[in-house]
Amino acid sequence: MTYCLAIAVDSGLVLASDSRTNAGVDNVNTYPKMFSFSVPDKGFFTLLTSGNLATTQAVVHQIEQDLKHDLDLAEGEKPVGSFAVCKDMNEAAKYLGTLAVKLKNYYERDLNQAANFDCTFILGGQIIGEPCQIFMVYPEGNFIQNSPYSPFLQIGETKYGKPILDRVIKRNTSLEAAARCALVSLDSTMRSNLSVAPPFDLMIYEKDKLEPAHVMHYKQNSPYYSSMRKRWGEGLMELFNDLPLFDWEKNDK
Amino acid sequence: MTYCLAIAVDSGLVLASDSRTNAGVDNVNTYPKMFSFSVPDKGFFTLLTSGNLATTQAVVHQIEQDLKHDLDLAEGEKPVGSFAVCKDMNEAAKYLGTLAVKLKNYYERDLNQAANFDCTFILGGQIIGEPCQIFMVYPEGNFIQNSPYSPFLQIGETKYGKPILDRVIKRNTSLEAAARCALVSLDSTMRSNLSVAPPFDLMIYEKDKLEPAHVMHYKQNSPYYSSMRKRWGEGLMELFNDLPLFDWEKNDK
């Protein structure tokens, strides 16, 4: 499984991912699921990946190839279509979705294989002069943007970590608070689903900077993650133990 | 959807359920999903239900009929099999599972209908002289008991409310703390999934009492539930806002 999420607040973006992959419970590995592309004179793009690892790796490889091609165009040569030539984030999401469908169709249709080659992505970033945005790209190639009322998107094992996002995240949440919330959300998910696990990648992108403001990589014992996790766990137990008593408990006192 | 859970601690049982049913989002209703059976000289049984409402209602009706039959046996008459004649909770779970499969098979096989008639149950209770126990009964009629390491069972929309159970519930948790935890778990689920909603039914069963110690029915605005919910929501935000700062935030101060 996987858990990745992206948050779009007024001041920028937060992107976060776990790194566990598994092909059955007896074949567990650690792979990055966050990939960034800084395109000179164009913008900044970050991809979060879930689903079939062969397909997601093929997609990332092809994005790099297309980008290289379109940035090194010879005189009179046409671009193949890539992040370098998208006019807005919407077009970038469409490029990504189309690419993913084409790549999985090679195995599904050309080679006529029956496995599940699907993958789902979150694409976040900013094109110069455009707002920064996040999109969820489905295995069918189509895509959605986040709701303005709940400005986050999740892929993979989304439920365990959603309640804290529902409570905390608003458009005017600070980037740092959004990043802490993403880490709490990853931590809650990891505790309830073994197929989500650190290291966690966490990135903060400030609007209009066209490069990440902070890139963190947290292992289980990284000092900040450990101390946040300890405080959150202890604080939850304190809060729980301090909840109002039932009527009969008061009378017993 | 539905969310029901049962917790088995050293001192007894906690059972809780929401009351929302829906057949499509345009057909939402409120039905009880918790049914108790107090059987004289035998024991106490509580059923939590999820799945096809026609099947769960048929199951509850047939349990009542079987119980009535076996408690009013005429001279020489044989019991049909019911909670009145089960020798332990394991046998009660088997009776329930078998009954549910027979009832859904009438529609699925005899009438050859293609809808999903499945339902899943939690059965909790105690037979005189036996330990109190909880079982999850699957649509196929088979069943499991809770793990001694995480002594709770959930049916329906289980994920949003699981992290708090994972953190709080141990075998030696008090009945009152377990009941509060069940309510927090229902509240978290309700916030993230519209198809789970109050009123909530909450029951505390003390070991060897053979009747419930406390039976609560909480609406959205019930005083205890409101105050617990408010304290939990505010406390979570205080705790979140008090989490350790990232290094660069400290330097900024």
Side-chain angles (χ1 to χ4, degrees):
Chain A
M1 201 74 179
T2 279
Y3 178 39
C4 299
L5 72 160
I7 303 172
V9 293
D10 289 337
S11 45
L13 306 177
V14 169
L15 298 122
S17 63
D18 86 316
S19 60
R20 180 152 289 181
T21 64
N22 65 297
V25 289
D26 54 349
N27 189 355
V28 169
N29 278 299
T30 301
Y31 279 90
K33 301 175 190 175
M34 183 188 288
F35 302 90
S36 291
F37 306 88
S38 195
V39 185
D41 304 321
K42 185 53 158 183
F44 180 77
F45 305 84
T46 296
L47 196 63
L48 304 174
T49 64
S50 71
N52 185 297
L53 184 64
T55 309
T56 63
Q57 287 196 355
V59 165
V60 170
H61 178 72
Q62 193 60 46
I63 287 174
E64 288 165 349
Q65 297 293 307
D66 289 349
L67 200 50
K68 191 159 180 285
H69 179 274
D70 286 356
L71 288 173
D72 298 336
L73 283 186
E75 185 77 24
E77 207 179 1
K78 278 191 177 170
V80 290
S82 71
F83 288 156
V85 295
C86 295
K87 71 173 192 301
D88 55 24
M89 284 301 293
N90 218 79
E91 209 175 288
K94 187 173 177 186
Y95 159 72
L96 170 62
T98 304
L99 181 57
V101 169
K102 280 182 186 163
L103 288 169
K104 79 169 175 171
N105 275 354
Y106 174 69
Y107 299 95
E108 251 174 35
R109 302 194 181 171
D110 301 358
L111 298 191
N112 198 24
Q113 296 300 295
N116 183 353
F117 299 105
D118 283 357
C119 45
T120 306
F121 300 92
I122 292 174
L123 176 68
Q126 183 172 25
I127 285 175
I128 295 170
E130 297 281 323
C132 50
Q133 291 177 319
I134 54 177
F135 288 87
M136 171 142 56
V137 180
Y138 296 109
E140 295 75 19
N142 59 345
F143 51 90
I144 58 166
Q145 212 182 336
N146 64 284
S147 155
Y149 308 113
S150 53
F152 58 84
L153 294 169
Q154 305 169 284
I155 54 175
E157 175 55 280
T158 60
K159 290 189 176 183
Y160 297 118
K162 186 164 179 283
I164 190 67
L165 298 168
D166 283 333
R167 286 182 192 269
V168 170
I169 301 298
K170 311 270 180 297
R171 284 293 312 187
N172 63 356
T173 304
S174 75
L175 281 169
E176 282 77 10
R180 265 188 289 278
C181 191
L183 205 51
V184 171
S185 180
L186 277 160
D187 183 54
S188 298
T189 305
M190 183 201 88
R191 285 173 161 272
S192 291
N193 186 333
L194 274 187
S195 70
V196 172
F200 297 140
D201 286 305
L202 182 61
M203 178 192 291
I204 295 181
Y205 173 82
E206 276 176 41
K207 188 169 70 169
D208 301 332
K209 292 290 166 68
L210 303 174
E211 62 178 5
H214 301 280
V215 178
M216 283 84 77
H217 182 76
Y218 294 118
K219 297 181 183 166
Q220 180 88 26
N221 58 355
S222 294
Y224 180 76
Y225 174 51
S226 295
S227 69
M228 191 287 299
R229 184 165 204 256
K230 184 162 179 287
R231 178 73 201 106
W232 183 251
E234 289 171 356
L236 274 184
M237 287 311 294
E238 285 161 25
L239 174 59
F240 180 79
N241 292 328
D242 196 38
L243 284 179
L245 297 177
F246 292 110
D247 285 344
W248 70 88
E249 292 179 280
K250 294 179 207 160
N251 299 336
D252 288 354
K253 286 206 165 174
Chain B
M1 202 74 179
T2 281
Y3 177 39
C4 300
L5 72 159
I7 303 172
V9 293
D10 291 336
S11 45
L13 306 177
V14 168
L15 298 121
S17 63
D18 86 315
S19 60
R20 179 151 290 180
T21 63
N22 67 299
V25 287
D26 55 350
N27 188 355
V28 169
N29 278 298
T30 301
Y31 279 91
K33 301 176 188 173
M34 183 187 290
F35 303 90
S36 290
F37 306 88
S38 193
V39 185
D41 303 322
K42 186 53 160 184
F44 179 78
F45 305 84
T46 295
L47 197 63
L48 303 174
T49 65
S50 72
N52 186 296
L53 185 62
T55 309
T56 62
Q57 288 196 354
V59 165
V60 170
H61 178 72
Q62 193 59 47
I63 288 174
E64 287 165 350
Q65 298 293 308
D66 290 349
L67 200 50
K68 192 160 176 286
H69 179 275
D70 287 355
L71 288 172
D72 299 335
L73 281 186
E75 185 76 27
E77 209 180 358
K78 276 191 179 170
V80 290
S82 71
F83 287 158
V85 296
C86 293
K87 70 173 195 302
D88 55 23
M89 285 300 293
N90 217 79
E91 210 175 289
K94 188 173 177 186
Y95 158 72
L96 170 62
T98 304
L99 181 58
V101 169
K102 281 182 186 164
L103 288 170
K104 79 167 175 171
N105 275 354
Y106 174 68
Y107 300 95
E108 252 176 33
R109 301 195 181 170
D110 300 359
L111 299 192
N112 198 23
Q113 295 301 295
N116 184 354
F117 299 105
D118 284 357
C119 44
T120 306
F121 301 92
I122 292 175
L123 176 68
Q126 183 172 25
I127 285 174
I128 296 170
E130 297 281 323
C132 50
Q133 290 177 320
I134 54 176
F135 289 86
M136 170 142 56
V137 180
Y138 296 109
E140 295 76 18
N142 57 345
F143 52 90
I144 58 164
Q145 213 181 335
N146 64 284
S147 155
Y149 308 112
S150 54
F152 58 85
L153 294 170
Q154 305 169 283
I155 54 176
E157 176 56 281
T158 60
K159 290 189 176 182
Y160 297 118
K162 188 164 179 281
I164 189 65
L165 297 168
D166 283 333
R167 285 181 194 268
V168 170
I169 301 297
K170 311 271 180 298
R171 283 294 313 188
N172 63 356
T173 304
S174 76
L175 280 169
E176 282 77 10
R180 265 189 288 278
C181 190
L183 205 52
V184 171
S185 179
L186 276 161
D187 183 54
S188 299
T189 306
M190 184 200 87
R191 283 173 163 272
S192 291
N193 185 334
L194 274 188
S195 71
V196 171
F200 298 141
D201 287 304
L202 182 61
M203 179 192 290
I204 296 182
Y205 173 83
E206 276 177 39
K207 186 169 73 170
D208 301 333
K209 292 290 165 70
L210 305 174
E211 61 178 7
H214 300 280
V215 177
M216 282 84 76
H217 182 75
Y218 294 118
K219 296 179 183 167
Q220 181 90 28
N221 59 355
S222 295
Y224 180 76
Y225 174 51
S226 295
S227 69
M228 190 285 299
R229 185 165 202 257
K230 185 163 180 284
R231 179 73 201 105
W232 184 251
E234 289 171 357
L236 274 183
M237 287 311 294
E238 285 162 24
L239 175 59
F240 181 77
N241 291 327
D242 196 39
L243 285 179
L245 298 177
F246 292 111
D247 285 344
W248 71 89
E249 293 179 280
K250 294 181 209 159
N251 299 337
D252 287 353
K253 287 203 164 178

